[in-house]
């Protein structure tokens, strides 16, 4: 609301007075623009283009200011988009740092769910484009597999009666309790469509995203079967650290799930490679150190 924006501005002005010689790192478009106009040194982190064309125009103007130290984006596609739509001279100010995840402690807690090689997991949201309808189609093909979907589905409840019995909606789980579910998942899914929405359903992020879910899966040593969206290929390599499928072909997904489930050596090879990639490049500690180096 307008009142919240005013309160935000007042808080920023207060912080600037206290920390006027410090760096600011901001993901808020409003806060970023105010800080730039007040000549504070700032790193702006963007996960998608601005919602508003007005913000884009103002940011275009302010991007030339020296106090904009760096722009952090989460994908190469987003960097390309900004260069093409803000100005071509901004490239040296843009750094690509994908999202990350915490390193896990593997004192796994056993779940009450029976473990088998036929438990398929999905952890994430239920917004448009997240692949819930695709999971439904796959589950109708793989009736001998169990599918467990974790996430807040409160706005999706009216769809639930149409799902087969082998699909289980477990609701939201906190990070601590997720461990026992990862313990029983034989395979995890990242079934992104070509149009992926964030909260509010206002913005398609399919060309720019770097999903936290991918890195959580990698950190938990799970084999990932994912959509072959171009932006996901910046992280995921088919038959190396994941298995990629065409979102529009549920039969391909079903076949790949059957193949992976029956091939223990392949599953171990790919999941361990994914975990190795995660440890080398995608922990929050590594990302934080890269940001500190930008400031230096």
């Amino acid at each position: 609301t307008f009142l919240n924006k005013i309160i935000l501005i007042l808080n920023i002005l207060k912080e600037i007075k206290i920390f006027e010689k410090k760096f600011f790192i901001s993901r808020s478009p409003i806060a970023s623009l105010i800080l730039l106009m007040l000549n504070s040194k700032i790193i702006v982190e963007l996960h998608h283009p601005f919602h508003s064309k007005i913000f884009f125009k103002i940011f275009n103007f302010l991007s030339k200011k020296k106090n904009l130290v760096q722009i952090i984006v989460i994908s190469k596609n987003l960097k390309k988009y900004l260069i093409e739509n803000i100005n071509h001279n901004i490239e040296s100010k843009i750094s690509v740092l994908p999202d990350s995840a915490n390193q896990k402690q593997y004192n796994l807690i056993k779940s009450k769910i029976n473990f088998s090689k036929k438990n398929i997991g999905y952890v994430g949201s239920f917004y448009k484009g997240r692949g819930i309808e695709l999971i439904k189609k796959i589950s109708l093909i793989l009736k001998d597999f169990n599918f467990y979907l974790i996430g807040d589905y409160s706005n999706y409840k009216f769809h639930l009666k149409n799902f087969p019995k082998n699909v289980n909606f477990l609701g939201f789980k906190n990070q601590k309790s997720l461990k026992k579910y990862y313990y029983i998942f034989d395979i995890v899914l990242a079934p992104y469509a070509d149009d992926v929405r964030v909260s509010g359903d206002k913005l398609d992020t399919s060309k720019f995203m770097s999903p936290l879910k991918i890195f959580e899966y990698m950190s938990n040593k799970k084999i990932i079967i994912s959509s072959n969206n171009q932006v996901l290929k910046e992280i995921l390599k088919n038959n190396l650290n994941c298995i990629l499928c065409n979102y529009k072909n549920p039969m391909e997904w079903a076949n790949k799930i059957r193949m992976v489930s029956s091939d223990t050596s392949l599953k171990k090879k790919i999941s361990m490679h994914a975990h190795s990639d995660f440890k080398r490049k995608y922990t929050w500690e590594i990302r934080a150190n890269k940001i500190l180096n930008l400031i230096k």
Side-chain angles (χ1 to χ4, degrees):
T1 65
F2 181 75
L3 179 60
N4 287 336
K5 290 179 181 178
I6 294 297
I7 294 172
L8 174 63
I9 291 170
L10 292 174
N11 285 333
I12 289 171
L13 291 173
K14 179 182 177 182
E15 294 297 318
I16 290 172
K17 185 175 180 181
I18 298 172
F19 301 110
E20 57 186 3
K21 294 184 180 180
K22 302 291 184 181
F23 269 94
F24 287 86
I25 301 175
S26 173
R27 280 186 56 183
S28 164
I30 295 174
S32 299
L33 295 177
I34 293 170
L35 289 164
L36 286 171
M37 288 187 287
L38 293 172
N39 291 319
S40 298
K41 288 185 177 181
I42 180 172
I43 290 177
V44 178
E45 180 163 341
L46 300 176
H47 288 203
H48 48 70
F50 293 120
H51 291 276
S52 166
K53 291 182 180 179
I54 295 174
F55 270 108
F56 220 116
K57 289 180 180 178
I58 297 173
F59 193 81
N60 187 0
F61 172 73
L62 293 174
S63 66
K64 303 175 181 68
K65 292 173 69 69
K66 291 183 178 179
N67 58 309
L68 177 60
V69 177
Q70 196 78 192
I71 301 170
I72 294 173
V73 295
I74 56 172
S75 66
K76 295 174 183 176
N77 269 7
L78 184 52
K79 177 177 180 177
K80 180 181 177 183
Y81 179 88
L82 293 177
I83 292 169
E84 292 175 350
N85 290 275
I86 296 181
N87 67 69
H88 296 288
N89 297 321
I90 202 172
E91 182 172 1
S92 62
K93 283 189 174 183
I94 302 178
S95 295
V96 180
L97 294 180
D99 263 326
S100 302
N102 291 320
Q103 293 200 64
K104 304 299 180 184
Q105 299 297 320
Y106 291 98
N107 52 335
L108 292 171
I109 304 168
K110 290 191 176 182
S111 172
K112 291 181 180 179
I113 299 171
N114 291 328
F115 178 77
S116 74
K117 291 185 178 180
K118 295 187 176 182
N119 287 333
I120 311 301
Y122 168 88
V123 181
S125 63
F126 286 70
Y127 299 123
K128 181 180 177 181
R130 300 303 174 108
I132 308 303
E133 291 301 317
L134 173 59
I135 292 175
K136 177 182 177 182
K137 293 176 183 177
I138 299 168
S139 67
L140 287 168
I141 300 170
L142 300 177
K143 294 181 180 180
D144 53 335
F145 282 73
N146 297 312
F147 294 79
Y148 295 94
L149 280 62
I150 294 177
D152 181 6
Y153 59 88
S154 55
N155 294 324
Y156 198 80
K157 282 186 176 179
F158 61 96
H159 292 291
L160 300 189
K161 61 182 180 180
N162 298 318
F163 275 78
K165 292 182 179 180
N166 59 330
V167 179
N168 305 274
F169 291 85
L170 302 181
F172 172 80
K173 305 293 179 185
N174 61 38
Q175 284 294 317
K176 185 176 181 180
S177 64
L178 272 178
K179 286 193 293 185
K180 64 183 179 183
Y181 295 100
Y182 277 118
Y183 176 80
I184 61 100
F185 292 158
D186 187 53
I187 297 167
V188 290
L189 304 180
Y192 292 100
D194 295 331
D195 183 345
V196 179
R197 298 286 162 164
V198 292
S199 180
D201 202 34
K202 295 180 180 178
L203 184 68
D204 174 18
T205 63
S206 60
K207 297 180 178 65
F208 313 109
M209 62 185 178
S210 177
L212 285 169
K213 172 165 53 193
I214 297 293
F215 305 105
E216 286 284 340
Y217 287 168
M218 296 169 83
S219 72
N220 279 283
K221 297 183 179 178
K222 292 297 165 181
I223 184 163
I224 304 165
I225 300 183
S226 171
S227 301
N228 60 356
N229 297 32
Q230 191 61 40
V231 70
L232 297 179
K233 292 179 183 178
E234 294 181 17
I235 308 297
L236 298 177
K237 310 301 178 187
N238 191 35
N239 295 323
L240 191 62
N241 62 9
C242 72
I243 300 290
L244 296 179
C245 295
N246 181 351
Y247 175 83
K248 296 178 181 179
N249 189 345
M251 185 57 72
E252 180 186 1
W253 286 74
N255 289 338
K256 290 294 177 66
I257 288 172
R258 284 198 185 281
M259 177 193 75
V260 170
S261 182
S262 63
D263 192 335
T264 303
S265 61
L266 175 66
K267 184 168 51 183
K268 183 176 181 180
K269 176 184 175 183
I270 292 178
S271 61
M272 293 306 292
H273 196 120
H275 187 248
S276 176
D277 283 351
F278 165 75
K279 288 197 301 180
R280 289 188 298 108
K281 296 185 282 188
Y282 302 122
T283 69
W284 285 123
E285 290 81 3
I286 291 171
R287 195 177 196 272
N289 284 328
K290 287 180 178 179
I291 293 174
L292 289 174
N293 288 334
L294 293 176
I295 294 173
K296 290 175 184 178

